[in-house]
Amino acid sequence: MIPAPFDYSSPTSIQEALNLLKKHGDDAKILAGGHSLIPMMKLRLATPAHLIDINSIPGLSYIKEEGGFLKIGALTREAMLEESDIIRNKYPIFTDASKLIADPQVRNMGTVGGNIAHGDAANDHPAVMIALRAQVIITGLQGTRTVPIDEFFHGFYSTAVQAGEILTEIQVPTPPKGTGSAYHKLERKVGDYATAGVAIQITVDGSGKCTAAGIGLTNVNATPMRAKRSEDALIGKKLDDNAINQAAHFAALDCNPSKDLRGDEDFKRAMVQTLTKRMIQKAVSRAK
Amino acid sequence: MEKEITVTINGTAHTVKVEPRLLLVHLIRENLNMTGTHIGCDTSNCGACTVLMDGKAVKSCTILAVQANGKSITTVEGLATAEGLHPIQEGFKENHALHCGFCTPGMMLRAVELLKHNPNPTEEEIRWGISGNLCRCTGYNNIVKAIQYAGAKMRGDKLPSTEPQFV
């Protein structure tokens, strides 16, 4: 399979990339890791007339802690998450997720920014970023703006990134003491999209009471979804079986899965329930 | 509009004019006539087209040739040297780790990257490590053994037995 013809630019600065985006308008697409876009172009589901390859722009690939945030550059490869000491020691949820994203070769190319900017509810980082209450930095010719993750996903392949803009960074607030996180997705085989996936971040105080909770769901709604009622069912409570079961019950009720080859609606709700329960327990066990 | 790119493949720089839509695997196989890199699924699932790009294993069916401009590529043709087979090739040969051989080039290149990062992987780490490469003949057991063999050889350790194990 060969993509339809297109023209190609490889700018070396954000400014140059933004100027190209302005010039080509809707005909242009940004190429980051390319492992969602190029397959779609090979199937001719996407036929951009112009590709703007941002891989030659320096300074977009990093994982650093700064000013109360974990900052992840848009071009950071999934493999870099697996290799990062900061991630391994302090943000195990990313280690959980990156291991389940496609396969090693794809993770050498695929980027965190692209995984989010693609706007696909089947991707894994969106739910993780919802659980972590991240914010997304979007850069345009007018400057940068910050969009909370809850306002980022607008619909199928549609996000807050507007024409002429590029997603440049993701910021995750540094979690307070007593926080743990975990992610798991049920997949039929390596490289499959999630049958269902659940991302959890929980903060507990000295007495074992939950003071904060973030719960994001993968591929069981038209957009990546926050399980709000489940979060509320945990906050202020001791995390006993009752509270956890209640949260898992709400997540299964509130999601909107559709039947496909991975299973019917009831099965997916049941998987959301089970995964929510298990990931809350895992996140709590990791809290430090 | 064609672009002029320079891609170094197995140490030799090639400057060619290509259409932006040309895939890296087609550049390697059709423009440069190195057919050791295979096209299997053509959808970035099977890993038969795996090559090393600046040392990282990537699926060349899902990378544009223009993205490899200025980069250094290793294909299966670049593994052996004048001194003989690469340890991973020797491992595959000694352990009967291939039947039809279609997945073998991609499997070996991914294994080379894996062993560079993790010179002494566990069986589980090897199985996760080759999870992006499909083999429809061997059932993977001998591929795992071949990678263990290559790891031992590259570390200078005693080589594991290549006798078949029946379970």
Side-chain angles (χ1 to χ4, degrees), chain A residues 252-265:
Chain A
L253 277 182
D254 294 350
C255 66
N256 302 289
S258 7
K259 180 183 171 171
D260 61 18
L261 290 171
R262 298 179 187 88
D264 63 19
E265 223 184 277

Side-chain angles (χ1 to χ4, degrees), chain B residues 43-60:
Chain B
T43 57
S44 73
N45 277 285
C46 79
C49 66
T50 299
V51 298
L52 301 183
M53 183 159 81
D54 287 348
K56 291 184 187 304
V58 295
K59 293 183 171 176
S60 61

Side-chain angles (χ1 to χ4, degrees), chain A residues 147-163:
Chain A
V147 178
I149 198 72
D150 286 325
E151 294 164 26
F152 185 79
F153 299 105
H154 291 183
F156 192 55
Y157 295 149
S158 163
T159 71
V161 181
Q162 298 299 305

Side-chain angles (χ1 to χ4, degrees), chain A residues 1 3 8 42 103 105 108, chain B residues 21 42 57 59 61 113 133:
Chain A
M1 298 179 292
Y8 171 88
K42 287 170 71 178
D103 60 54
Q105 287 95 315
N108 274 339
Chain B
R21 63 175 173 162
D42 202 10
K59 293 183 171 176
C61 77
E113 186 203 26
N133 296 77

